[in-house]
Amino acid sequence: MSEKAIVCKDLTKRFGDFVAVNHISFDVDQGEIFGFLGANGAGKTTAMRMLCGLSYPTSGEAAVAGYNVFKQQEEIKRNIGYMSQKFSLYETLTVKENIRFYGGVYGLSDKQLKEKGDELITKLGLEKEAKMMVGSLPLGWKQKLAFSVAIIHQPRIVFLDEPTGGVDPVTRRQFWDLIYDAAGSGITVFVTTHYMDEAEYCNRISVMVDGRIDALDTPANLKKQFDATSMNEVFYALARTAKRSAD
Amino acid sequence: MKQFMVFVRKEFYHVFRDRRTLLILFGLPVMQILLFGYALTTEIKNAEIIVVDHAGDAASQQLTTMIAASKYFDINASVTSDEDIYKAFKKGKVKCAVVFPIGFGNDLLHGQTAQVQIIADAADPNTAKTLTNYLTAIIGDYQQQINPTANIPMRISPVTRMLYNPELNGSMNFVPGVMALVLMIICTTLTSVSIVREKEMGTMEILLVSPFKPTYVVLAKAVPYLALSLIDLIIILLLSVFLLDMPIRGNIVLLFLESTLFIICCLSLGLLISSVTRTQQIAMMVSMMGMMLPTILFTGFIFPLENMPWPLRVISNLVPSRWFYVIIKAVMLRGLGIGVIWKETLVLAGMTTALLMISIKSFKTRLS
């Protein structure tokens, strides 16, 4: 698909006098891993919610998977996956039941559910745990499972909101292997993170400051632009300019 | 539709795997029915009574025997001095005393006004009142017996007939009230908590991002609890009929339809609570405490609404269980049909529609 996965132009969200997201514009290519960075309160989550069809923009334009965020929220929802920073599977359901539930909500047939479910369980090496309650799994496994479930319906774009919060470096690395796999199969990955080592893994990065996008490029170019040796330095240089206090 | 069923099945998993939910769902109704049915009735049985017989004649003894035979009284002791009466009252065991004055039987035989004194421990006014009523009734019976044809002194002897509940069976009044109370609390608590739990866990966000429509989320939440509440209703009815000897005189189908309407009304209230609360604890508090008190106060099964000042009577009209209570009593105890209770049914239906619309709307607007 040559079509852009996400196209955003002057997207704005106001809550009363407060401009949470201030005229942001960017494109994301199909199959790209797009890092969406910013300090707490910079407006990342609000921007992401608009793109997911969870809230209406105040002004501007945006298309996700080719669908308009004002008029075609239903179509958008069918074509995206979403994983939030809060752990989002049901703890009192088993691994299999969670897969069946989320797959079922996305309208997968019984046959697809079975195939996809088995494939997913094998891929994650959860054969023994398939009938265990998700609540009893270690956090890293839960996160990997949550990600796999979020893309079980082969969406065009998957939105990840700080997916690796609280997970150890080894598991994070494994998590990113899954992300690369997904991107390799053509799924666009839109990811927010606070870990700068993860930022380096992205194809391109945008950094939000006070509701604006102040920088947008590949990690290598950004480092050059800010004369920095790591993404950490780039991020600090930008975050220091923020006037808004984090919430 | 398939998506809907997937959701409903998931909801049942939640219910059957959560011991707390199960306890509320099945423990609460059984406990409440047994509690109210057996322990908490206004009926008083085996109250201890003292008879002070200064007369010692046939009439006073016959009357004493009648009192002793009644299931409401146990004769504690026969004392002779007034002193002893007060001593007994002070010990607190005795609730009531009957004093026959000298010449009681004589007065009665000669057509004069025969006096008998009833003393009750009015530290508990309700009990005292009930007991004196029982005694007066027994005395009235006795008069009737010894003098069935007399028409001069007993011309205005009142004939009381306790309609629908001739034995003044306390549980008859309570069971419909408890039904309303239990269904109200279960439906509002469980629905509100189950939705707020999803909010707290973050799974609600996932559901909202999915193509599953918000309205369906609300409905899919309500359906399992509707089914479970109906099971509860059956349990309550079985307990009432077989354990508490409650009659179901009216049409059982009508009874179920009306109950379903009430359940849906409570579920909608639960949905509304869930859309304005953020944590499970608050949702639980609001639906348990916030609903329990108005339901107990304003349903009319403990405190008669007729005796309330008008502002409270107006408020009571807002409590759904108040209407359901009237309906359920009419159908269960009096065997009446829809013709008599259409007004209450309409009010309940109106409330349900309004609540459901408000809750779906607030659920939706919260998203944007």
Side-chain angles (χ1 to χ4, degrees):
Chain A
M1 267 177 251
S2 58
E3 197 185 322
K4 297 271 185 196
I6 303 172
V7 182
C8 238
K9 198 156 182 297
D10 289 330
L11 198 65
T12 302
K13 179 81 183 186
R14 260 181 250 271
F15 297 105
D17 288 340
F18 179 73
V19 188
V21 174
N22 193 356
H23 293 85
I24 58 170
S25 305
F26 62 90
D27 297 346
V28 181
D29 287 321
Q30 190 65 43
E32 190 178 5
I33 301 176
F34 189 82
F36 202 58
L37 275 54
N40 289 336
K44 284 179 314 217
T45 306
T46 311
M48 199 147 141
R49 286 176 67 86
M50 286 191 283
L51 295 176
C52 293
L54 281 181
S55 87
Y56 287 107
T58 315
S59 64
E61 282 168 43
V64 176
Y67 298 107
N68 186 302
V69 292
F70 287 97
K71 291 180 206 133
Q72 297 169 297
Q73 291 192 327
E74 289 307 313
E75 285 84 353
I76 290 177
K77 286 178 178 178
R78 259 196 288 279
N79 284 285
I80 61 169
Y82 177 82
M83 176 184 168
S84 79
Q85 50 194 340
K86 272 193 193 168
F87 173 67
S88 48
L89 297 175
Y90 292 98
E91 305 240 333
T92 53
L93 260 53
T94 66
V95 173
K96 260 203 163 134
E97 285 161 358
N98 265 296
I99 295 173
R100 288 187 63 98
F101 173 67
Y102 281 112
V105 164
Y106 278 94
L108 264 58
S109 71
D110 287 340
K111 194 167 151 265
Q112 280 174 311
L113 270 176
K114 177 140 180 39
E115 277 171 18
K116 283 273 179 189
D118 289 346
E119 183 192 318
L120 195 157
I121 287 170
T122 320
K123 188 173 165 194
L124 295 178
L126 288 172
E127 289 94 344
K128 268 188 226 146
E129 289 82 4
K131 291 208 167 121
M132 269 166 68
M133 296 292 159
V134 163
S136 62
L137 296 179
L139 181 65
W141 290 21
K142 287 187 203 168
Q143 302 289 63
K144 283 190 271 180
L145 181 62
F147 175 72
S148 308
V149 167
I151 58 168
I152 194 165
H153 56 297
Q154 280 289 321
R156 287 205 37 206
I157 305 154
V158 63
F159 289 88
L160 308 175
D161 192 0
E162 291 174 29
T164 54
V167 174
D168 66 78
V170 176
T171 316
R172 253 164 55 203
R173 183 63 245 194
Q174 293 169 346
F175 192 87
W176 273 85
D177 286 342
L178 289 176
I179 292 182
Y180 274 113
D181 268 5
S185 75
I187 298 175
T188 304
V189 180
F190 186 98
V191 56
T192 74
T193 181
H194 284 307
Y195 297 107
M196 289 307 136
D197 58 330
E198 291 187 353
E200 308 258 7
Y201 301 150
C202 299
N203 298 129
R204 280 193 308 150
I205 295 166
S206 71
V207 182
M208 273 190 92
V209 179
D210 289 352
R212 302 176 314 269
I213 290 186
D214 277 9
L216 197 169
D217 216 325
T218 61
N221 285 348
L222 282 177
K223 279 185 274 189
K224 222 180 279 168
Q225 186 188 334
F226 285 85
D227 197 18
T229 52
S230 70
M231 274 310 298
N232 245 338
E233 286 178 38
V234 174
F235 189 77
Y236 283 132
L238 284 162
R240 259 200 298 274
T241 64
K243 298 197 174 54
R244 223 189 253 172
S245 63
D247 49 17
Chain B
M1 195 57 211
K2 187 175 164 277
Q3 280 159 294
F4 195 78
M5 289 320 293
V6 167
F7 202 109
V8 170
R9 185 169 58 198
K10 179 213 76 159
E11 215 53 46
F12 275 115
Y13 283 141
H14 286 325
V15 172
F16 288 115
R17 284 179 192 166
D18 185 23
R19 215 173 295 153
R20 218 173 26 167
T21 309
L22 279 180
L23 197 68
I24 294 180
L25 199 56
F26 297 113
L28 192 74
V30 174
M31 195 190 76
Q32 294 264 32
I33 283 287
L34 294 183
L35 252 184
F36 278 97
Y38 282 114
L40 305 176
T41 74
T42 46
E43 193 185 30
I44 301 156
K45 279 180 194 155
N46 306 328
E48 301 218 357
I49 189 171
I50 295 182
V51 176
V52 186
D53 194 350
H54 293 305
D57 49 36
S60 73
Q61 268 160 23
Q62 277 165 0
L63 199 45
T64 307
T65 319
M66 273 183 83
I67 293 171
S70 128
K71 67 171 172 175
Y72 301 114
F73 296 105
D74 278 345
I75 293 188
N76 173 285
S78 291
V79 295
T80 40
S81 79
D82 293 346
E83 276 295 288
D84 292 340
I85 299 177
Y86 295 108
K87 268 190 206 147
F89 272 122
K90 273 180 190 155
K91 278 191 202 141
K93 262 184 101 180
V94 167
K95 300 276 176 235
C96 201
V98 181
V99 184
F100 296 103
I102 297 168
F104 172 76
N106 211 32
D107 288 349
L108 200 65
L109 284 176
H110 294 91
Q112 290 171 3
T113 313
Q115 283 191 322
V116 57
Q117 187 184 24
I118 298 170
I119 307 170
D121 178 2
D124 181 350
N126 284 332
T127 311
K129 199 149 191 279
T130 312
L131 290 179
T132 48
N133 282 344
Y134 289 158
L135 277 175
T136 318
I138 292 173
I139 293 167
D141 276 355
Y142 176 68
Q143 282 188 28
Q144 202 87 39
Q145 260 180 38
I146 56 162
N147 213 349
T149 53
N151 48 10
I152 306 237
M154 264 81 69
R155 188 183 283 161
I156 322 171
S157 79
V159 179
T160 323
R161 203 172 128 230
M162 298 296 174
L163 274 178
Y164 314 119
N165 186 6
E167 309 96 69
L168 286 175
N169 184 346
S171 53
M172 291 232 180
N173 214 358
F174 278 113
V175 168
V178 174
M179 264 170 75
L181 181 67
V182 167
L183 290 178
M184 178 95 182
I185 286 169
I186 286 179
C187 298
T188 48
T189 312
L190 292 185
T191 9
S192 64
V193 168
S194 86
I195 292 184
V196 174
R197 184 189 296 140
E198 301 235 10
K199 276 205 248 176
E200 244 182 14
M201 302 294 290
T203 45
M204 188 55 93
E205 256 192 329
I206 308 289
L207 294 179
L208 296 176
V209 180
S210 81
F212 205 61
K213 285 201 181 67
T215 316
Y216 288 164
V217 174
V218 172
L219 292 180
K221 278 278 172 193
V223 166
Y225 290 107
L226 175 63
L228 293 168
S229 305
L230 284 174
I231 296 177
D232 260 344
L233 179 69
I234 295 172
I235 294 177
I236 294 176
L237 287 178
L238 286 178
L239 280 178
S240 323
V241 170
F242 291 108
L243 227 60
L244 302 175
D245 296 327
M246 282 281 295
I248 299 180
R249 297 203 177 95
N251 186 331
I252 190 123
V253 178
L254 180 64
L255 186 67
F256 268 92
L257 288 179
E258 294 282 356
S259 305
T260 310
L261 177 63
F262 179 66
I263 289 170
I264 296 174
C265 185
C266 298
L267 290 176
S268 324
L269 197 59
L271 294 176
L272 190 60
I273 293 173
S274 74
S275 62
V276 294
T277 51
R278 280 182 183 282
T279 66
Q280 290 183 62
Q281 274 89 347
I282 295 178
M284 187 89 139
M285 284 272 283
V286 171
S287 37
M288 275 245 187
M289 301 300 148
M291 294 299 127
M292 184 106 91
L293 203 60
T295 306
I296 291 178
L297 281 179
F298 293 122
T299 299
F301 75 104
I302 294 183
F303 307 105
L305 294 175
E306 296 78 21
N307 300 348
M308 289 185 182
W310 70 266
L312 291 183
R313 277 209 305 273
V314 171
I315 293 173
S316 80
N317 288 336
L318 298 173
V319 181
S321 54
R322 173 213 185 292
W323 303 97
F324 180 62
Y325 180 63
V326 175
I327 293 172
I328 208 88
K329 272 210 312 194
V331 177
M332 268 182 95
L333 301 183
R334 289 188 276 161
L336 299 175
I338 186 79
V340 183
I341 48 169
W342 63 272
K343 220 166 69 186
E344 284 81 6
T345 311
L346 217 56
V347 172
L348 212 52
M351 280 182 173
T352 309
T353 320
L355 282 171
L356 203 59
M357 267 163 47
I358 297 171
S359 56
I360 289 183
K361 195 164 180 298
S362 69
F363 191 82
K364 274 186 179 162
T365 48
R366 200 168 40 85
L367 311 182
S368 49

Short mmCIF file of all heavy atoms in Angstrom, two decimals, chain A residues 4-27:
data_model
loop_
_atom_site.label_atom_id
_atom_site.label_comp_id
_atom_site.label_asym_id
_atom_site.label_seq_id
_atom_site.Cartn_x
_atom_site.Cartn_y
_atom_site.Cartn_z
N LYS A 4 -0.49 6.70 2.60
CA LYS A 4 0.05 6.99 3.93
C LYS A 4 -0.86 6.36 4.99
O LYS A 4 -2.07 6.35 4.85
CB LYS A 4 0.08 8.50 4.15
CG LYS A 4 1.00 9.25 3.20
CD LYS A 4 2.38 9.34 3.77
CE LYS A 4 3.27 10.20 2.86
NZ LYS A 4 4.68 10.00 3.17
N ALA A 5 -0.25 5.86 6.05
CA ALA A 5 -1.04 5.27 7.13
C ALA A 5 -1.75 6.37 7.93
O ALA A 5 -2.92 6.25 8.27
CB ALA A 5 -0.16 4.45 8.05
N ILE A 6 -1.01 7.42 8.24
CA ILE A 6 -1.60 8.54 8.98
C ILE A 6 -1.20 9.85 8.32
O ILE A 6 -0.03 10.04 7.96
CB ILE A 6 -1.10 8.57 10.45
CG1 ILE A 6 -1.41 7.25 11.16
CG2 ILE A 6 -1.71 9.74 11.22
CD1 ILE A 6 -0.79 7.13 12.53
N VAL A 7 -2.17 10.69 8.11
CA VAL A 7 -1.90 12.03 7.60
C VAL A 7 -2.56 13.02 8.55
O VAL A 7 -3.74 12.91 8.84
CB VAL A 7 -2.47 12.24 6.19
CG1 VAL A 7 -2.11 13.63 5.69
CG2 VAL A 7 -1.99 11.18 5.24
N CYS A 8 -1.76 13.96 9.05
CA CYS A 8 -2.26 14.90 10.05
C CYS A 8 -1.95 16.31 9.58
O CYS A 8 -0.81 16.58 9.21
CB CYS A 8 -1.48 14.66 11.33
SG CYS A 8 -2.44 14.27 12.70
N LYS A 9 -2.96 17.20 9.60
CA LYS A 9 -2.65 18.57 9.21
C LYS A 9 -3.31 19.54 10.17
O LYS A 9 -4.52 19.56 10.29
CB LYS A 9 -3.15 18.81 7.77
CG LYS A 9 -2.51 20.02 7.14
CD LYS A 9 -2.52 19.92 5.62
CE LYS A 9 -1.82 21.14 5.00
NZ LYS A 9 -2.50 22.41 5.29
N ASP A 10 -2.49 20.31 10.87
CA ASP A 10 -2.97 21.33 11.81
C ASP A 10 -3.98 20.78 12.82
O ASP A 10 -4.94 21.46 13.18
CB ASP A 10 -3.62 22.51 11.05
CG ASP A 10 -2.57 23.33 10.32
OD1 ASP A 10 -1.43 23.37 10.82
OD2 ASP A 10 -2.88 23.87 9.25
N LEU A 11 -3.76 19.59 13.22
CA LEU A 11 -4.69 18.95 14.17
C LEU A 11 -4.61 19.67 15.52
O LEU A 11 -3.52 19.88 16.07
CB LEU A 11 -4.33 17.48 14.34
CG LEU A 11 -5.40 16.58 14.94
CD1 LEU A 11 -6.60 16.51 14.00
CD2 LEU A 11 -4.85 15.19 15.18
N THR A 12 -5.78 20.07 16.05
CA THR A 12 -5.81 20.86 17.28
C THR A 12 -6.90 20.35 18.19
O THR A 12 -7.98 19.98 17.74
CB THR A 12 -6.09 22.35 16.95
OG1 THR A 12 -5.07 22.79 16.06
CG2 THR A 12 -6.09 23.21 18.21
N LYS A 13 -6.60 20.34 19.48
CA LYS A 13 -7.65 20.02 20.47
C LYS A 13 -7.59 21.03 21.59
O LYS A 13 -6.55 21.24 22.21
CB LYS A 13 -7.44 18.61 21.04
CG LYS A 13 -8.46 18.22 22.09
CD LYS A 13 -9.75 17.74 21.45
CE LYS A 13 -10.82 17.42 22.50
NZ LYS A 13 -12.01 16.82 21.90
N ARG A 14 -8.70 21.68 21.82
CA ARG A 14 -8.82 22.65 22.90
C ARG A 14 -9.76 22.12 23.96
O ARG A 14 -10.78 21.52 23.64
CB ARG A 14 -9.45 23.93 22.35
CG ARG A 14 -8.49 25.03 22.02
CD ARG A 14 -9.31 26.23 21.51
NE ARG A 14 -9.05 26.41 20.09
CZ ARG A 14 -8.05 27.16 19.64
NH1 ARG A 14 -7.25 27.78 20.46
NH2 ARG A 14 -7.86 27.29 18.34
N PHE A 15 -9.39 22.32 25.23
CA PHE A 15 -10.33 22.10 26.32
C PHE A 15 -10.55 23.46 26.96
O PHE A 15 -9.72 23.91 27.76
CB PHE A 15 -9.77 21.12 27.36
CG PHE A 15 -9.53 19.74 26.82
CD1 PHE A 15 -8.23 19.30 26.54
CD2 PHE A 15 -10.59 18.88 26.58
CE1 PHE A 15 -8.01 18.03 26.04
CE2 PHE A 15 -10.37 17.60 26.09
CZ PHE A 15 -9.08 17.18 25.81
N GLY A 16 -11.62 24.15 26.59
CA GLY A 16 -11.81 25.52 27.08
C GLY A 16 -10.69 26.40 26.54
O GLY A 16 -10.46 26.45 25.34
N ASP A 17 -9.94 27.06 27.45
CA ASP A 17 -8.85 27.93 27.03
C ASP A 17 -7.56 27.17 26.79
O ASP A 17 -6.62 27.67 26.19
CB ASP A 17 -8.57 28.99 28.12
CG ASP A 17 -9.67 30.03 28.16
OD1 ASP A 17 -10.39 30.14 27.14
OD2 ASP A 17 -9.82 30.70 29.20
N PHE A 18 -7.55 25.95 27.29
CA PHE A 18 -6.31 25.17 27.26
C PHE A 18 -6.16 24.47 25.91
O PHE A 18 -7.05 23.74 25.47
CB PHE A 18 -6.36 24.15 28.40
CG PHE A 18 -5.15 23.26 28.48
CD1 PHE A 18 -3.95 23.77 28.92
CD2 PHE A 18 -5.24 21.93 28.09
CE1 PHE A 18 -2.84 22.94 29.00
CE2 PHE A 18 -4.13 21.11 28.15
CZ PHE A 18 -2.93 21.62 28.62
N VAL A 19 -5.03 24.73 25.25
CA VAL A 19 -4.80 24.08 23.96
C VAL A 19 -3.92 22.85 24.23
O VAL A 19 -2.72 22.96 24.39
CB VAL A 19 -4.11 25.03 22.97
CG1 VAL A 19 -4.06 24.39 21.59
CG2 VAL A 19 -4.85 26.35 22.92
N ALA A 20 -4.54 21.70 24.27
CA ALA A 20 -3.80 20.48 24.60
C ALA A 20 -2.91 20.08 23.44
O ALA A 20 -1.77 19.66 23.62
CB ALA A 20 -4.77 19.37 24.95
N VAL A 21 -3.47 20.16 22.23
CA VAL A 21 -2.72 19.83 21.03
C VAL A 21 -2.83 21.02 20.09
O VAL A 21 -3.93 21.47 19.77
CB VAL A 21 -3.27 18.55 20.37
CG1 VAL A 21 -2.56 18.29 19.05
CG2 VAL A 21 -3.12 17.36 21.31
N ASN A 22 -1.66 21.54 19.66
CA ASN A 22 -1.64 22.83 18.98
C ASN A 22 -1.13 22.67 17.55
O ASN A 22 0.07 22.63 17.30
CB ASN A 22 -0.74 23.76 19.80
CG ASN A 22 -0.88 25.21 19.36
OD1 ASN A 22 -1.60 25.50 18.40
ND2 ASN A 22 -0.20 26.09 20.05
N HIS A 23 -2.04 22.60 16.61
CA HIS A 23 -1.68 22.56 15.18
C HIS A 23 -0.53 21.61 14.88
O HIS A 23 0.55 22.04 14.46
CB HIS A 23 -1.30 23.96 14.69
CG HIS A 23 -2.49 24.88 14.69
ND1 HIS A 23 -2.88 25.58 15.81
CD2 HIS A 23 -3.38 25.21 13.72
CE1 HIS A 23 -3.96 26.29 15.52
NE2 HIS A 23 -4.29 26.08 14.27
N ILE A 24 -0.73 20.32 15.10
CA ILE A 24 0.34 19.40 14.74
C ILE A 24 0.09 18.84 13.34
O ILE A 24 -1.04 18.61 12.94
CB ILE A 24 0.49 18.25 15.77
CG1 ILE A 24 -0.79 17.43 15.91
CG2 ILE A 24 0.94 18.77 17.12
CD1 ILE A 24 -0.60 16.16 16.72
N SER A 25 1.18 18.68 12.60
CA SER A 25 1.09 18.12 11.25
C SER A 25 2.20 17.09 11.06
O SER A 25 3.35 17.36 11.40
CB SER A 25 1.28 19.23 10.19
OG SER A 25 0.35 20.26 10.41
N PHE A 26 1.84 15.94 10.59
CA PHE A 26 2.85 14.93 10.25
C PHE A 26 2.23 13.83 9.42
O PHE A 26 1.00 13.68 9.41
CB PHE A 26 3.53 14.36 11.50
CG PHE A 26 2.59 13.64 12.43
CD1 PHE A 26 2.35 12.28 12.29
CD2 PHE A 26 1.95 14.32 13.45
CE1 PHE A 26 1.49 11.62 13.15
CE2 PHE A 26 1.08 13.67 14.32
CZ PHE A 26 0.85 12.32 14.16
N ASP A 27 3.09 13.06 8.73
CA ASP A 27 2.63 11.88 7.98
C ASP A 27 3.34 10.66 8.52
O ASP A 27 4.46 10.75 8.98
CB ASP A 27 3.02 11.98 6.48
CG ASP A 27 2.37 13.16 5.81
OD1 ASP A 27 1.44 13.74 6.40
OD2 ASP A 27 2.82 13.51 4.70
#
